[in-house]
Amino acid sequence: MRSRKPYGNATNVAKILTQRDYWDVEHVLRSRLKTAAQFVDNIDLEAELRGHTGCVNCLQWSDNGHILATASDDFHVILWDPFRHKQLYDLMTPHEGNIFSVKFLPKRNNSIIVTGAGDSKTFVFDINRQNDQPIRECTCHIKRVKRLATSPRNVHMYWSAAEDGLVLQHDLRQPHICNGQDSNVLIDLRSYVCGQAELKCIAINPQRSEQLAIGANDIFTRLYDRRMISPSKVDRIVDNVNYSKSNLADNIAKDGCVKYFCPGHLGTKFQVGNQMSDINQYKAVTYLAFSPDGTELLANMGSDQIYLYNINRSREPLVLELPKMSKSDDGISNGSNCAEGNLGTEKTKHKFPPDVEQLKKEGNVSLEKDLFLQAINKYTQAIHRVNGKDCAILYLNRATALMKRNWYGDVYAAVRDCHIALQLDPFYVKAQFRLARALLKLEHIKEAQICLDELVRRFPSYAKNPGVLKLDKDIGLELDKQRHRMACSRPDPEDDPYSEKEQYWRETSIDYEQRFIGHCNTKTDIKEANYFGDSNYIVAGSDDGNFFIWDRHSGIIHSIYSADELIVNCVQPHPYICMLATSGIDHEVRLWSPQSPEKPSIRRVCNIDSVVHDNQTHMQMDPFDPMTADQAICRAS
């Protein structure tokens, strides 16, 4: 008897892929339709769910989207029918600390719920029992449990990340007693990072459950391969001082076991003398989310922006990589001596289509008026219209606007744009000049000098240009200051708080692909960022009480909505339809969906520029300035 083919009558790769569970055509189509433009353009407040008596710190949709679970500082978990706006079940948990995470265990009839809280405990409940008593309890963590993770491919397991620096792996098929004898420690960050290593978030790749990502109280996102790690026993640490190097250190030291991701301007290559800058000490990764197809990782960084990483691409941070020129090109000048504002032009003038030319013109007008957000958006739209080809001037103009705006990460984004402009046109003198200026602003002084010297070597007629002479003088002054600083402070190698492996992973961290700017993330360490729909949009909450929707591909803000009196922490998209659930400091949970276009918007924010400007200004203030201290009644951190 002939054996049955595992994929029916499929005879080619395309058909096999479309028949596999994780590449279901109907699912892809449904995901795209739920964020169709006509739906997203008309999102507004649908309903408020009232029932909690404390801040609502976490939301979770069931697999089928029929139930919304919410958990709060009041120690309750409430299950809701999101379509009738009714409570289905109110679970009073035994927690004695704020609940920070709630999860459904996948494919368990939506009856098994896991919670993690500030009392360092995790509980598992079967709501079918109707007695509010957990069927499993874990007290192995010794500090606050901040996030839980589950996987659709491991229906009996969940993972917990806590501020004790541990990731624990829980298997419900195995009995557990919290006596330190079970091998349930998957990751112990304390083995590599001395001091207060605190985990803030965790995520499992929905398509590759062996990939586990964590965020901590630093600037790095870490991606592990669970197949290469053997869980270990809990190692109790006294006073967080003497960290033992457990066998976990040897496990994770295996090649390919872990990758680090970090925005290029924050990583060690952009730190003078490999010393962590003061501002980086206040940053933390507050939330991680994989894209639906499992190829990207979204990281919301506290006191900074939202960054998107491609987990399959090793993108190194850009410092200085000038395009090579043939010997015949050396010494070529493409303009006369002139002021900095007119330093060099493109080798070839490219005539853009009328719509692109109009966007460029509008960007230039906004730039002249110091409306930097508008200018950057116009240049970005123009670049996307021409697919990034033959548009060196657009990249340079955007780099100019970014440097003048100077929000977190803007100067480094300008460095990246200057590199692209030079790749498109190696003779673009102004792009090389702007690159040298940006590197100086980033305190990469030696590279700035090399860049400027190479400009003069390649284009000798600019040697006496007033802008070049002034930049050369500025670089010389900064080099003198840097030599003085290095002479006064000689770091002791024995004071290095990181292991050799940790230092290597940091130095080889992978740069971001895209970033999303506009929100403010300084007051809580549980602020989320998620994919919405078929990866077409990004959503996140903000300290100003709003939640934001960005275009995933351009990074431009699509819309902003007022969703809380003080702070929005959670924004969770429905798995199948165009609906969002949000929560924060308020005790209410709010549902958002497309409303009638004829009905005036209740919550949509009109003054996007001023909202974004205020958020970015607040984010760059001194966190310890008493005039800007957090006044929120309910804090999550």
Side-chain angles (χ1 to χ4, degrees), residues 125-175:
F125 301 91
D126 185 346
I127 60 174
N128 287 334
R129 294 192 175 191
Q130 300 283 322
N131 61 4
D132 290 2
Q133 295 302 309
I135 61 175
R136 187 183 180 101
E137 175 181 353
C138 181
T139 60
C140 292
H141 286 294
I142 59 174
K143 288 191 177 181
R144 299 191 300 179
V145 177
K146 297 311 295 280
R147 288 288 175 180
L148 304 171
T150 58
S151 168
R153 300 177 185 278
N154 302 88
V155 298
H156 301 286
M157 301 175 69
Y158 72 94
W159 295 263
S160 57
E163 291 179 338
D164 55 11
L166 301 181
V167 172
L168 300 185
Q169 182 169 280
H170 310 261
D171 192 333
L172 299 185
R173 295 168 296 185
Q174 300 176 354

Side-chain angles (χ1 to χ4, degrees), residues 477-509:
L477 291 173
E478 290 301 320
L479 279 172
D480 290 340
K481 292 179 183 178
Q482 186 183 77
R483 294 189 191 102
H484 178 73
R485 288 194 299 265
M486 294 179 68
C488 295
S489 60
R490 297 181 182 275
D492 187 348
E494 295 183 359
D495 292 337
D496 189 353
Y498 312 118
S499 69
E500 183 178 344
K501 277 290 185 180
E502 175 72 12
Q503 189 65 37
Y504 170 76
W505 291 327
R506 292 183 174 215
E507 290 175 354
T508 57
S509 59

Side-chain angles (χ1 to χ4, degrees), residues 346 348-353 356 360 379-398 417 420-425 428:
E346 289 182 285
T348 56
K349 283 288 185 180
H350 184 81
K351 187 174 182 180
F352 297 119
V356 176
K360 175 191 169 188
Y379 295 138
T380 300
Q381 292 175 39
I383 289 169
H384 279 261
R385 293 278 180 90
V386 295
N387 293 321
K389 298 178 180 179
D390 299 325
C391 59
I393 190 171
L394 297 177
Y395 281 104
L396 180 63
N397 288 359
R398 189 170 70 175
D417 275 356
I420 296 175
L422 287 170
Q423 290 171 7
L424 294 171
D425 184 358
Y428 204 175

Side-chain angles (χ1 to χ4, degrees), residues 450-499:
I450 294 172
C451 184
L452 189 62
D453 290 346
E454 185 65 16
L455 185 153
V456 173
R457 189 189 71 81
R458 292 182 176 187
F459 310 102
S461 65
Y462 287 97
K464 302 299 181 182
N465 177 274
V468 171
L469 293 174
K470 184 179 185 305
L471 179 55
D472 186 59
K473 181 180 179 181
D474 292 343
I475 293 173
L477 291 173
E478 290 301 320
L479 279 172
D480 290 340
K481 292 179 183 178
Q482 186 183 77
R483 294 189 191 102
H484 178 73
R485 288 194 299 265
M486 294 179 68
C488 295
S489 60
R490 297 181 182 275
D492 187 348
E494 295 183 359
D495 292 337
D496 189 353
Y498 312 118
S499 69

Side-chain angles (χ1 to χ4, degrees), residues 126-239:
D126 185 346
I127 60 174
N128 287 334
R129 294 192 175 191
Q130 300 283 322
N131 61 4
D132 290 2
Q133 295 302 309
I135 61 175
R136 187 183 180 101
E137 175 181 353
C138 181
T139 60
C140 292
H141 286 294
I142 59 174
K143 288 191 177 181
R144 299 191 300 179
V145 177
K146 297 311 295 280
R147 288 288 175 180
L148 304 171
T150 58
S151 168
R153 300 177 185 278
N154 302 88
V155 298
H156 301 286
M157 301 175 69
Y158 72 94
W159 295 263
S160 57
E163 291 179 338
D164 55 11
L166 301 181
V167 172
L168 300 185
Q169 182 169 280
H170 310 261
D171 192 333
L172 299 185
R173 295 168 296 185
Q174 300 176 354
H176 174 68
I177 300 176
C178 299
N179 57 7
Q181 298 305 308
D182 289 349
S183 296
N184 62 344
V185 180
L186 192 66
I187 298 168
D188 184 349
L189 202 59
R190 304 168 304 179
S191 299
Y192 298 93
V193 183
C194 296
Q196 299 292 331
E198 300 177 355
L199 295 185
K200 301 296 182 182
C201 52
I202 184 172
I204 297 285
N205 191 326
Q207 305 301 341
R208 298 184 58 185
S209 61
E210 72 275 9
Q211 292 186 336
L212 179 148
I214 60 171
N217 57 332
D218 58 25
I219 56 179
F220 297 95
T221 294
R222 298 162 170 89
L223 178 65
Y224 296 86
D225 188 332
R226 292 191 299 111
R227 297 171 301 182
M228 304 179 71
I229 306 175
S230 299
S232 178
K233 295 180 181 179
V234 173
D235 183 18
R236 295 296 183 184
I237 304 298
V238 180
D239 296 330

